[in-house]
Amino acid sequence: MKRFLLLSFLGLGCYYNASAQEFDSTKVAPPMVEDVSDYKPVRFLLGAAFEFGGDEVGTVTFTNGDEQSIKAGQGIAVAVGAEFQFRKLEQLRLRATVGYKYVTTAADNAHIRLTRVPLHLTANWMATEKIRLGAGIVKHQAIKLNTDGLGENMEFDGSTGAIFEFAYSGFGISYTIMKYTDQANNSYAANAIGFTISGVLPKRN
């Protein structure tokens, strides 16, 4: 009887060990947890551009007979804003900026200038680590031509257009399609080709 009980316990022990090994061998590893410690969806964006083109909105005549024109698409622009990056689609970036665009003449005795406030909203695709392709909407507000007393000041209606950009490592070329309309309902093409520079803070690794 004792021998039968001993053999029974030994048999149960062997069966338990075999079952435990089989269970361990089929155990599923826990899913890996994605490391998102370096993921920052929104970053501070700085940008600048030198743009030229468009119709003449004003002309200055100097005492020596030379003339200088101010064109609707011309100017130097600076901008601040934000860039949003999608964690599941890192190549796609959304950019939104507000800026100030300014152009003046070379006259020493008069401060003639064309100013406007550009708002940009663009979708950008990182084709490679350094190549960025962008397209979106641009809106110019507070468009004003100040002649500094040498002529009639002009104001233009707010205008909305399209912008396209190709950039490499922060330096790019842009093309803006836009039209200005003055107080007398005259239209001026404000299309512009620009050289751009931009970057985000903090920088990406």
Side-chain angles (χ1 to χ4, degrees), residues 36 38-44 82-87 92-94 204:
V36 295
D38 192 46
Y39 173 63
K40 295 179 176 63
V42 180
R43 295 175 190 255
F44 184 63
E83 179 183 87
F84 180 84
Q85 179 183 13
F86 293 87
R87 182 164 61 90
L92 181 61
R93 316 279 170 85
L94 296 182
R204 292 184 171 85

Side-chain angles (χ1 to χ4, degrees), residues 120-189:
H120 287 199
L121 179 60
T122 60
N124 299 264
W125 183 261
M126 301 301 298
T128 69
E129 184 179 350
K130 294 186 176 182
I131 295 177
R132 177 174 57 83
L133 305 175
I137 298 172
V138 56
K139 185 175 182 62
H140 285 185
Q141 298 277 45
I143 310 167
K144 298 179 180 181
L145 175 64
N146 191 317
T147 64
D148 201 20
L150 297 182
E152 184 180 357
N153 294 338
M154 297 176 62
E155 292 188 4
F156 303 85
D157 297 336
S159 180
T160 302
I163 186 169
F164 306 90
E165 186 178 8
F166 171 85
Y168 178 83
S169 190
F171 297 90
I173 298 175
S174 66
Y175 182 64
T176 301
I177 303 172
M178 181 171 285
K179 181 175 68 175
Y180 290 170
T181 303
D182 66 13
Q183 297 160 308
N185 207 33
N186 298 314
S187 296
Y188 304 84

Side-chain angles (χ1 to χ4, degrees), residues 39-70:
Y39 173 63
K40 295 179 176 63
V42 180
R43 295 175 190 255
F44 184 63
L45 174 64
L46 290 171
F50 173 71
E51 298 177 301
F52 58 94
D55 292 340
E56 292 183 4
V57 294
T59 303
V60 178
T61 302
F62 300 100
T63 54
N64 61 1
D66 292 341
E67 291 186 346
Q68 182 179 354
S69 62
I70 296 178

Side-chain angles (χ1 to χ4, degrees), residues 60-128:
V60 178
T61 302
F62 300 100
T63 54
N64 61 1
D66 292 341
E67 291 186 346
Q68 182 179 354
S69 62
I70 296 178
K71 296 186 176 182
Q74 186 180 0
I76 296 174
V78 293
V80 296
E83 179 183 87
F84 180 84
Q85 179 183 13
F86 293 87
R87 182 164 61 90
K88 297 299 184 180
L89 189 58
E90 295 184 354
Q91 293 93 336
L92 181 61
R93 316 279 170 85
L94 296 182
R95 289 184 163 198
T97 62
V98 57
Y100 186 74
K101 187 174 178 179
Y102 173 91
V103 62
T104 187
T105 65
D108 295 329
N109 59 344
H111 185 204
I112 301 170
R113 67 268 189 196
L114 175 64
T115 59
R116 48 275 209 214
V117 177
L119 306 172
H120 287 199
L121 179 60
T122 60
N124 299 264
W125 183 261
M126 301 301 298
T128 69

